[in-house]
Amino acid sequence: MNSFGRIFRVSIFGESHGPAVGIVIDGCPSGVALTADDFTTDIERRKGGTQKGTTPRQETDAPIFQTGIFRDKTTGAPLTIMFENKNTRSSDYEKQRSFPRPGHADFVASKKFGSNEDFRGGGHFSGRLTVCIVAAGVVAKKVLKNISVTAKILEIGGEQDLEKGLQKAIDAKDSVGGIVECTVTGLPIGLGEPFFDSVESLISHAAFSIPAVKGIEFGAGFQAAKMFGVDHNDAIIDANGRTATNNAGGVVGGISNGNDLVFRVAIKPTSSTPKEQESLNWETGEVEKFSIKGRHDLCIALRVPPVLEAVTAMVLADLMLLENKISRVAG
Amino acid sequence: MNSFGRIFRVSIFGESHGPAVGIVIDGCPSGVALTADDFTTDIERRKGGTQKGTTPRQETDAPIFQTGIFRDKTTGAPLTIMFENKNTRSSDYEKQRSFPRPGHADFVASKKFGSNEDFRGGGHFSGRLTVCIVAAGVVAKKVLKNISVTAKILEIGGEQDLEKGLQKAIDAKDSVGGIVECTVTGLPIGLGEPFFDSVESLISHAAFSIPAVKGIEFGAGFQAAKMFGVDHNDAIIDANGRTATNNAGGVVGGISNGNDLVFRVAIKPTSSTPKEQESLNWETGEVEKFSIKGRHDLCIALRVPPVLEAVTAMVLADLMLLENKISRVAG
Amino acid sequence: MNSFGRIFRVSIFGESHGPAVGIVIDGCPSGVALTADDFTTDIERRKGGTQKGTTPRQETDAPIFQTGIFRDKTTGAPLTIMFENKNTRSSDYEKQRSFPRPGHADFVASKKFGSNEDFRGGGHFSGRLTVCIVAAGVVAKKVLKNISVTAKILEIGGEQDLEKGLQKAIDAKDSVGGIVECTVTGLPIGLGEPFFDSVESLISHAAFSIPAVKGIEFGAGFQAAKMFGVDHNDAIIDANGRTATNNAGGVVGGISNGNDLVFRVAIKPTSSTPKEQESLNWETGEVEKFSIKGRHDLCIALRVPPVLEAVTAMVLADLMLLENKISRVAG
Amino acid sequence: MNSFGRIFRVSIFGESHGPAVGIVIDGCPSGVALTADDFTTDIERRKGGTQKGTTPRQETDAPIFQTGIFRDKTTGAPLTIMFENKNTRSSDYEKQRSFPRPGHADFVASKKFGSNEDFRGGGHFSGRLTVCIVAAGVVAKKVLKNISVTAKILEIGGEQDLEKGLQKAIDAKDSVGGIVECTVTGLPIGLGEPFFDSVESLISHAAFSIPAVKGIEFGAGFQAAKMFGVDHNDAIIDANGRTATNNAGGVVGGISNGNDLVFRVAIKPTSSTPKEQESLNWETGEVEKFSIKGRHDLCIALRVPPVLEAVTAMVLADLMLLENKISRVAG
């Protein structure tokens, strides 16, 4: 379904080329101060066109508060925020309709929803909806108050020098992937459950809702698989549970341990590469060469950090409310 | 919470050193043939003591059917299966109570549940509960019929030669981690949702409920972050959606695409290493050296395959029922 | 929370005097034909001003499709429908702010959400939101196809002659309650569960989400409490489960039995009576006389039938999808 | 499904004639003191055989704690309690297998679950499972601490003199129904939500999970439908929200208002009347006369009070935890 969270529950809706996209947040505490300005930074960070390698499509992306806000504060009723889709060029997509684009949802969406899906710009399967997730994240971060959630790019196209990685893509006239790391400081001990609702379970569930994420690892992650136990174990060094190292990434037995929550996600290269590709032509039934038109990012990973922060903040706001660490009446 | 799934919903309960552990499966189709013999293989695969490097603790682990079975078939009512805990030595754990073991849940459990947790053998936070998960998986696999779910170890202690990896641990008198890969064949196209309930979201949610899992990647996974788009994209080569490569690991846009579902998990080294460690002594308030007693695995990854198959099968049974691909009356 | 349903999941949002109210339906099958005209009848039935005894406030109440519709059919993505609030007179409510109105949520809302609630016109606690529920019902009824859901008023102000009951209210310059009955024909056998998700549990859960409902009974209902078993039992008279009588109201053991589903709800008199009342004045701290201004219904029961049909259809669409009796791809 | 609650989540399982019935409570706070003695009173109240008009089947009904308890306190891990089925006479039921009993789930269960249901004693559809619900209620009441939940019989067979009502049944050699009222004192203001999760929605959802409940009304209930607004409205008389009357039954706008929560349920006569009945014979395909054998209650309403208290306490424990009015660490 298109909802996530048990107490702080976010629902997203919309299509790339419909009138609007948006979110409803149910269970948001009342009394959270909120104005359009609060959204500017993260929405700009997510937006294409300001960085080398991102799509020239420009949306104003001003949040429109529809419900749940009164006198610039949340009321405790469902909070609805919408974003108009102004700058769409559906004709780009009509032309490509005969080719289900490799790496995109075209083929599976058509199988799943039959002939009725809105194929324009990927429809509901569009990265456009991440603006909604970012907006939910802005609210969630405000709810979290003294907990900081920060994501940054570690690597582009296999290069830690990000300019270099991007230039590789430009030179190759192809798209590239990247790695993004998220760090959360200020978390209390005790969030999460031992099995099905471990912190890792919930964070990964949320992180894989971001298009193009293909892997996630906590703390030492995949490197842990190559370590000895005595090297991996984080020695506890004080009564607050602080550890000397943080190979666990802040989660032990599924539960937050009071150290920084640290995890990384792998972002695949943008599926819409400018390069010529081969794939099935639905009309001819043959595998043929074709090129993708439209405006696309060379490296979608550049836009991921605020989205990753957002889903992380959503999970944590939910857990903090669930564990009574945050009041449902904020102010 | 200790439940997972929306239609095929599994709840687990129990402690390492209590009278029993068990599961309830709600929403299991009626008419699934089920006898104790069906559980033998997977329970043996999970069990310690048969492989170099696993714990000598031996449980009989015979499933006890309590409810939901009549004349060797599921009835459609909640299916309850229990396993007695026979072979426990709680005294081992009493001695270590003053040290919250690094890498274990001792510290966080005590903070989360106060003074009332059952600390013996990790209590509810014990790997013992994976026998329940394995049992749920046996049922889920039967429900899935023609879909095959197979996990295997790829790497132990950084070595693809597993014997060698294990010997490394034995020589070092330390524990080691490993990597386990799961492959699912026979999945239909169209399972999952574009965002919060993507197949990757659900599988990762379930996989991180297995103790010691610290990372997961689908298809090319973290390697995808270093690839060009044209190399990563899987060309569609026939009308059934078959692709020439499988870098996506069988999931595009969050939805199964009819190719094999392939993913890998990183398993950290067993926290209970026989090596001397340092950590906080709760009683003295000092960081001190100590050693863990008790019976433990040198490499917990050896026991993970049937557990990973189990959680995967649980997710897929749920999705297949949700999408009406499997009937709620099996026979 | 403000959502209902597991597969066909309806979320409502909005306030009486905010810019708009609306719904998101997640899990609506794709391919359901839907135009604004489909909503006219039920929205008119619900609307005030056309009947003696209903409020003169007039909303245009044209549904605005925001997402999930393409070429006049649902796409399978979340379906968002909004209704603008055009005709509001908030000043009416400002004056009464010192009196928490008896029978209204003013007092409890203020305690629950603190000082941040939107008190204008009852805010989120307004009957205005039932237009959203009616819209969800229109969609649900289309999904249900050959199942008919019909509600009618049985009694107004204690009178089965409805004109007479209404005249009573007009003469007394007071509001009155009523009883509404809902009948569903064409249901298959087997919906619902024995205990927590019995058909009665789900229908009553939904029915009590309608403001002013204070009781519900199925089949013989409260009368059953006075009957002998042999008179209450409905003899099964054919292999399809048809019964000679329908004292069970179509539900046995929590499960639909293939006969008509029949239930009645009791609607309290509109809380906003034009009569002078006594209640606490928040400012003076004294119990004082006061009168409610604003535009209100003499008998809210008159507007309930399409809302009751709507919540009933929502429950049944959800159950039909859950039990695989309706496909998630409608056409 | 067979679970209820979001934070304090109760799952029930078992069949009338299987080895055992039981519950798992997930989300129970840690530190709740619990011994078998705590269950005696309510289990005795529910039990047949001690009152005129109840079934002579006797179960010892001693709760068996399987998980989640350590040193006589809950640990915060899932709490499992089981009850053995010792005193079963399945042969009684085999004989009647050809007649789907009117008023029972025999017919619908067979249609819903196919040929695999456990028909003995109603299988999972048995009132036997209410012992599980009662046990969950005992725990919930302990969690609720200073909130009192009390149910009592108001009427049997249409008579407020209960002896007289019961004698009517004995004289008629038939079963009779009844009315049970539940009162909750000590509730805080602010539980519940305006629409789908109103207190009435949640309580009614739970109440209709009790077999034989066919109606529910809050406060003035169905009588409210006949009242004028000025008479029905409860004047607020102090700053704590106390009202002069309680026609609302303690719930306004879906939210608890701090006054007593009062509601009544209608219980149908026991379906298993000793009287001769007519119904379809599955084998002959004809409607024929038959009599029900086995041990049954003349008036099932006599056993309902502790069950009604239990489901009410479950709902309220869940709401209190959800609203942070009760801590997840009790002691």
Side-chain angles (χ1 to χ4, degrees):
Chain A
M1 311 289 275
N2 295 280
S3 297
F4 189 73
R6 288 159 296 177
I7 310 294
F8 185 89
R9 186 166 179 86
V10 177
S11 301
I12 61 172
F13 49 87
E15 293 83 30
S16 181
H17 290 215
V21 297
I23 47 162
V24 180
I25 306 179
D26 201 3
C28 183
S30 69
V32 179
L34 219 51
T35 67
D37 288 348
D38 291 318
F39 295 79
T40 310
T41 306
D42 278 357
I43 285 178
E44 285 303 314
R45 288 170 72 206
R46 175 204 163 270
K47 205 183 281 184
T50 58
Q51 287 177 285
K52 179 155 71 171
T54 53
T55 171
R57 170 176 169 177
Q58 289 294 332
E59 296 281 352
T60 310
D61 285 350
I64 302 167
F65 299 129
Q66 292 279 10
T67 75
I69 296 223
F70 183 51
R71 298 177 175 168
D72 292 341
K73 286 194 175 175
T74 58
T75 63
L79 174 63
T80 310
I81 303 176
M82 297 186 76
F83 296 90
E84 292 183 0
N85 291 329
K86 286 178 174 159
N87 189 355
T88 57
R89 296 204 317 223
S90 300
S91 58
D92 282 349
Y93 297 92
E94 289 282 357
K95 289 178 216 149
Q96 285 160 16
R97 190 65 186 145
S98 50
F99 285 91
R101 295 166 296 168
H104 280 87
D106 298 348
F107 188 88
V108 296
S110 141
K111 290 285 178 186
K112 186 178 180 76
F113 294 117
S115 57
N116 304 294
E117 40 126 18
D118 178 355
F119 53 78
R120 299 166 303 161
H124 182 58
F125 286 78
S126 166
R128 172 71 183 142
L129 276 93
T130 56
V131 73
C132 304
I133 295 177
V134 167
V138 168
V139 180
K141 286 187 221 173
K142 285 216 130 189
V143 167
L144 287 173
K145 284 180 188 161
N146 302 319
I147 293 168
S148 114
V149 180
T150 315
K152 64 176 185 202
I153 299 167
L154 286 193
E155 196 182 300
I156 292 293
E159 306 286 341
Q160 289 174 17
D161 175 336
L162 307 184
E163 282 294 320
K164 199 169 156 191
L166 216 47
Q167 195 58 48
K168 240 166 94 170
I170 293 168
D171 294 347
K173 293 197 171 59
D174 204 346
S175 58
V176 288
I179 291 178
V180 179
E181 183 175 78
C182 187
T183 304
V184 183
T185 62
L187 274 190
I189 301 172
L191 302 182
E193 303 289 334
F195 294 97
F196 300 123
D197 288 342
S198 74
V199 169
E200 294 116 322
S201 287
L202 296 169
I203 293 279
S204 67
H205 189 138
F208 279 114
S209 67
I210 305 174
V213 170
K214 295 303 283 186
I216 189 168
E217 58 178 8
F218 291 80
F222 275 86
Q223 196 54 35
K226 304 182 194 302
M227 292 168 78
F228 283 117
V230 81
D231 298 327
H232 183 271
N233 279 350
D234 301 312
I236 300 171
I237 57 176
D238 70 20
N240 297 320
R242 198 159 57 92
T243 55
T245 50
N246 191 12
N247 290 312
V251 190
V252 177
I255 315 287
S256 65
N257 70 2
N259 293 275
D260 287 358
L261 174 67
V262 181
F263 61 95
R264 284 169 299 286
V265 295
I267 313 294
K268 69 173 184 179
T270 320
S271 302
S272 295
T273 168
K275 279 230 153 163
E276 193 179 62
Q277 300 179 81
E278 287 204 331
S279 203
L280 179 79
N281 181 328
W282 261 332
E283 289 165 13
T284 66
E286 300 294 318
V287 175
E288 300 174 9
K289 287 191 192 305
F290 78 107
S291 295
I292 289 184
K293 300 285 178 291
R295 300 157 297 176
H296 299 287
D297 297 278
L298 280 187
C299 180
I300 198 75
L302 297 175
R303 301 172 70 171
V304 163
V307 190
L308 188 60
E309 290 175 10
V311 297
T312 304
M314 281 163 51
V315 168
L316 296 175
D318 193 52
L319 282 171
M320 293 288 283
L321 284 160
L322 191 68
E323 293 284 343
N324 302 1
K325 310 279 189 190
I326 289 178
S327 166
R328 299 189 67 186
V329 181
Chain B
M1 311 289 275
N2 295 280
S3 296
F4 189 73
R6 288 160 295 179
I7 309 294
F8 185 89
R9 186 166 179 85
V10 177
S11 301
I12 60 172
F13 48 87
E15 293 81 32
S16 181
H17 291 215
V21 298
I23 46 162
V24 180
I25 305 179
D26 201 2
C28 183
S30 68
V32 179
L34 219 52
T35 67
D37 288 348
D38 292 318
F39 295 79
T40 309
T41 306
D42 278 357
I43 285 178
E44 285 303 315
R45 289 169 71 205
R46 174 203 164 271
K47 206 183 281 184
T50 57
Q51 288 178 283
K52 180 155 69 170
T54 53
T55 172
R57 170 176 170 179
Q58 290 293 334
E59 294 283 352
T60 309
D61 285 350
I64 303 168
F65 300 128
Q66 291 280 10
T67 75
I69 296 221
F70 183 51
R71 298 177 175 168
D72 292 340
K73 287 195 174 176
T74 58
T75 63
L79 173 64
T80 309
I81 304 175
M82 298 186 75
F83 297 89
E84 292 183 0
N85 291 330
K86 287 178 174 160
N87 190 355
T88 58
R89 295 204 316 221
S90 300
S91 57
D92 282 348
Y93 297 92
E94 288 283 358
K95 290 179 215 149
Q96 285 160 16
R97 190 66 186 145
S98 50
F99 286 91
R101 295 166 297 166
H104 280 87
D106 298 348
F107 188 87
V108 297
S110 143
K111 290 284 178 186
K112 186 178 180 77
F113 294 116
S115 57
N116 304 296
E117 40 126 17
D118 178 354
F119 53 79
R120 300 166 301 162
H124 182 59
F125 286 78
S126 166
R128 172 71 182 139
L129 276 91
T130 56
V131 73
C132 305
I133 295 177
V134 167
V138 168
V139 180
K141 285 188 222 173
K142 285 215 130 188
V143 167
L144 287 173
K145 285 178 188 164
N146 301 320
I147 294 168
S148 114
V149 180
T150 316
K152 63 176 185 202
I153 299 167
L154 287 193
E155 198 183 296
I156 291 293
E159 306 286 343
Q160 289 175 16
D161 175 337
L162 306 186
E163 282 294 318
K164 199 169 156 192
L166 216 46
Q167 195 58 46
K168 240 166 94 171
I170 293 169
D171 294 346
K173 293 196 172 60
D174 203 346
S175 58
V176 288
I179 292 179
V180 179
E181 182 175 78
C182 188
T183 302
V184 183
T185 62
L187 273 190
I189 300 172
L191 302 182
E193 303 288 333
F195 294 97
F196 300 122
D197 288 341
S198 74
V199 168
E200 293 115 323
S201 287
L202 296 169
I203 293 279
S204 67
H205 189 138
F208 279 113
S209 67
I210 305 174
V213 170
K214 295 304 281 186
I216 188 168
E217 59 179 8
F218 291 80
F222 275 87
Q223 196 54 33
K226 303 182 194 302
M227 291 167 80
F228 284 116
V230 81
D231 298 327
H232 184 271
N233 279 351
D234 301 312
I236 300 171
I237 56 174
D238 70 20
N240 298 319
R242 198 158 57 93
T243 55
T245 50
N246 191 11
N247 290 312
V251 190
V252 176
I255 315 287
S256 65
N257 69 2
N259 292 276
D260 287 357
L261 174 67
V262 181
F263 61 95
R264 284 168 298 285
V265 295
I267 313 294
K268 70 173 183 178
T270 319
S271 302
S272 296
T273 167
K275 279 229 154 164
E276 192 180 63
Q277 301 178 78
E278 287 204 329
S279 203
L280 179 79
N281 181 327
W282 260 331
E283 287 165 13
T284 66
E286 300 293 319
V287 174
E288 299 174 9
K289 289 190 191 305
F290 78 106
S291 295
I292 290 184
K293 299 285 180 292
R295 300 156 297 175
H296 300 288
D297 297 277
L298 280 187
C299 180
I300 199 75
L302 297 175
R303 300 172 70 172
V304 164
V307 190
L308 188 60
E309 290 174 10
V311 298
T312 303
M314 282 164 51
V315 168
L316 297 175
D318 194 52
L319 281 171
M320 294 287 283
L321 284 160
L322 191 68
E323 294 284 342
N324 302 0
K325 310 279 189 190
I326 289 178
S327 166
R328 300 188 68 186
V329 180
Chain C
M1 311 290 275
N2 295 280
S3 297
F4 189 73
R6 289 160 294 178
I7 309 294
F8 186 89
R9 185 165 179 87
V10 177
S11 300
I12 60 172
F13 48 87
E15 293 82 31
S16 181
H17 291 214
V21 298
I23 46 162
V24 180
I25 306 180
D26 201 2
C28 182
S30 68
V32 179
L34 219 52
T35 67
D37 288 349
D38 292 319
F39 295 79
T40 310
T41 306
D42 278 358
I43 284 178
E44 286 302 314
R45 288 169 72 204
R46 176 204 162 271
K47 205 183 282 184
T50 55
Q51 286 178 286
K52 181 155 70 170
T54 53
T55 173
R57 169 174 170 180
Q58 290 294 334
E59 295 283 352
T60 309
D61 285 350
I64 302 168
F65 299 127
Q66 292 280 9
T67 75
I69 296 222
F70 183 51
R71 299 179 174 167
D72 292 342
K73 288 195 174 175
T74 57
T75 63
L79 174 65
T80 310
I81 304 175
M82 298 187 75
F83 296 90
E84 291 183 0
N85 291 328
K86 287 179 174 159
N87 189 355
T88 57
R89 295 203 319 223
S90 300
S91 57
D92 283 349
Y93 298 92
E94 288 283 359
K95 290 179 215 147
Q96 285 161 17
R97 190 67 185 144
S98 51
F99 285 90
R101 294 165 298 167
H104 279 87
D106 298 347
F107 188 88
V108 295
S110 141
K111 291 284 178 186
K112 185 178 181 76
F113 294 116
S115 57
N116 304 297
E117 41 127 16
D118 178 354
F119 53 79
R120 299 165 303 162
H124 182 59
F125 286 79
S126 165
R128 172 71 183 141
L129 276 92
T130 55
V131 72
C132 304
I133 295 177
V134 167
V138 168
V139 181
K141 286 187 220 173
K142 284 214 131 189
V143 168
L144 287 173
K145 285 179 186 162
N146 302 319
I147 293 169
S148 115
V149 180
T150 316
K152 62 176 186 203
I153 300 166
L154 286 193
E155 197 182 297
I156 292 293
E159 306 286 341
Q160 290 174 15
D161 175 337
L162 306 185
E163 282 294 319
K164 200 169 155 192
L166 215 46
Q167 196 57 47
K168 241 165 94 169
I170 293 168
D171 293 348
K173 293 195 172 60
D174 203 346
S175 58
V176 288
I179 291 177
V180 179
E181 182 175 78
C182 188
T183 303
V184 182
T185 61
L187 273 191
I189 301 172
L191 302 182
E193 302 288 334
F195 293 96
F196 299 123
D197 288 341
S198 74
V199 169
E200 294 115 322
S201 288
L202 296 170
I203 293 279
S204 67
H205 189 137
F208 278 113
S209 67
I210 305 173
V213 170
K214 296 302 283 186
I216 189 168
E217 59 178 8
F218 290 80
F222 275 87
Q223 196 55 33
K226 303 182 195 302
M227 291 168 79
F228 283 116
V230 80
D231 298 327
H232 184 271
N233 279 351
D234 301 313
I236 300 172
I237 57 176
D238 70 20
N240 297 319
R242 199 158 57 91
T243 55
T245 51
N246 191 12
N247 289 313
V251 190
V252 176
I255 316 285
S256 65
N257 70 1
N259 292 275
D260 287 357
L261 173 67
V262 181
F263 61 95
R264 285 169 298 285
V265 296
I267 313 295
K268 71 173 183 178
T270 320
S271 302
S272 294
T273 167
K275 279 229 153 165
E276 193 180 61
Q277 301 178 80
E278 288 203 330
S279 202
L280 178 79
N281 181 326
W282 260 334
E283 289 165 12
T284 66
E286 300 293 319
V287 175
E288 299 173 11
K289 288 190 192 304
F290 79 107
S291 294
I292 288 184
K293 298 287 179 290
R295 299 157 297 175
H296 299 288
D297 297 276
L298 279 187
C299 180
I300 198 73
L302 297 175
R303 300 172 71 172
V304 164
V307 190
L308 188 59
E309 290 174 11
V311 298
T312 303
M314 281 163 52
V315 168
L316 297 175
D318 193 52
L319 282 171
M320 293 288 283
L321 283 161
L322 191 68
E323 293 284 342
N324 301 2
K325 310 279 190 191
I326 289 179
S327 166
R328 298 190 69 186
V329 180
Chain D
M1 311 289 274
N2 295 280
S3 296
F4 190 73
R6 287 160 296 179
I7 309 295
F8 185 89
R9 186 166 179 86
V10 177
S11 301
I12 60 173
F13 47 88
E15 293 81 31
S16 180
H17 290 215
V21 297
I23 47 163
V24 180
I25 305 179
D26 201 3
C28 183
S30 69
V32 179
L34 220 51
T35 66
D37 288 349
D38 292 318
F39 294 79
T40 310
T41 307
D42 278 358
I43 284 178
E44 285 302 314
R45 287 169 72 206
R46 174 202 164 272
K47 206 183 280 185
T50 57
Q51 286 178 285
K52 178 155 73 170
T54 53
T55 173
R57 170 175 170 178
Q58 290 294 333
E59 294 283 352
T60 309
D61 285 350
I64 303 167
F65 299 129
Q66 292 279 10
T67 75
I69 297 222
F70 183 51
R71 297 178 175 167
D72 292 341
K73 287 194 175 177
T74 58
T75 62
L79 174 64
T80 309
I81 304 175
M82 297 186 76
F83 296 90
E84 292 182 359
N85 291 328
K86 286 178 176 159
N87 189 356
T88 57
R89 296 204 316 222
S90 300
S91 57
D92 283 349
Y93 297 93
E94 289 282 358
K95 290 179 214 148
Q96 285 160 17
R97 189 67 186 143
S98 51
F99 285 91
R101 293 165 298 167
H104 280 86
D106 297 348
F107 188 87
V108 296
S110 141
K111 290 284 178 186
K112 186 179 180 75
F113 294 117
S115 57
N116 304 296
E117 39 126 18
D118 178 354
F119 53 78
R120 299 165 303 161
H124 183 58
F125 286 79
S126 166
R128 172 69 183 143
L129 276 92
T130 56
V131 73
C132 303
I133 295 177
V134 166
V138 167
V139 180
K141 286 187 219 173
K142 285 214 131 189
V143 167
L144 287 173
K145 283 179 186 163
N146 301 320
I147 294 169
S148 113
V149 180
T150 316
K152 63 175 187 204
I153 299 167
L154 287 193
E155 198 182 299
I156 291 293
E159 307 286 341
Q160 289 175 17
D161 175 338
L162 308 184
E163 282 294 319
K164 200 169 154 191
L166 215 47
Q167 195 57 48
K168 242 166 93 168
I170 294 168
D171 293 348
K173 293 197 172 59
D174 203 346
S175 58
V176 288
I179 291 177
V180 179
E181 183 175 77
C182 187
T183 302
V184 182
T185 63
L187 273 191
I189 300 172
L191 301 182
E193 303 289 334
F195 294 96
F196 300 122
D197 288 341
S198 73
V199 169
E200 294 115 322
S201 287
L202 295 169
I203 294 279
S204 67
H205 189 138
F208 278 113
S209 67
I210 305 174
V213 170
K214 295 302 283 187
I216 189 168
E217 58 179 8
F218 291 80
F222 275 87
Q223 196 55 33
K226 304 183 193 302
M227 291 168 78
F228 283 116
V230 81
D231 298 328
H232 183 272
N233 279 350
D234 301 312
I236 300 171
I237 56 176
D238 70 20
N240 297 321
R242 198 160 55 93
T243 55
T245 50
N246 192 11
N247 289 313
V251 190
V252 177
I255 315 287
S256 65
N257 70 1
N259 291 276
D260 287 359
L261 173 67
V262 181
F263 61 95
R264 284 169 298 286
V265 295
I267 312 294
K268 69 174 184 178
T270 320
S271 302
S272 295
T273 168
K275 278 229 154 166
E276 192 179 63
Q277 300 179 81
E278 287 204 330
S279 204
L280 179 79
N281 181 326
W282 261 332
E283 288 165 13
T284 66
E286 301 292 319
V287 175
E288 300 174 9
K289 288 190 192 304
F290 78 107
S291 295
I292 289 184
K293 299 288 178 289
R295 299 156 298 174
H296 300 287
D297 297 277
L298 279 186
C299 180
I300 198 75
L302 297 175
R303 301 172 71 171
V304 164
V307 190
L308 189 60
E309 290 174 10
V311 296
T312 303
M314 281 163 51
V315 168
L316 297 174
D318 193 53
L319 282 171
M320 294 288 283
L321 283 161
L322 190 69
E323 294 284 343
N324 303 0
K325 310 280 188 190
I326 288 178
S327 166
R328 298 189 68 186
V329 180

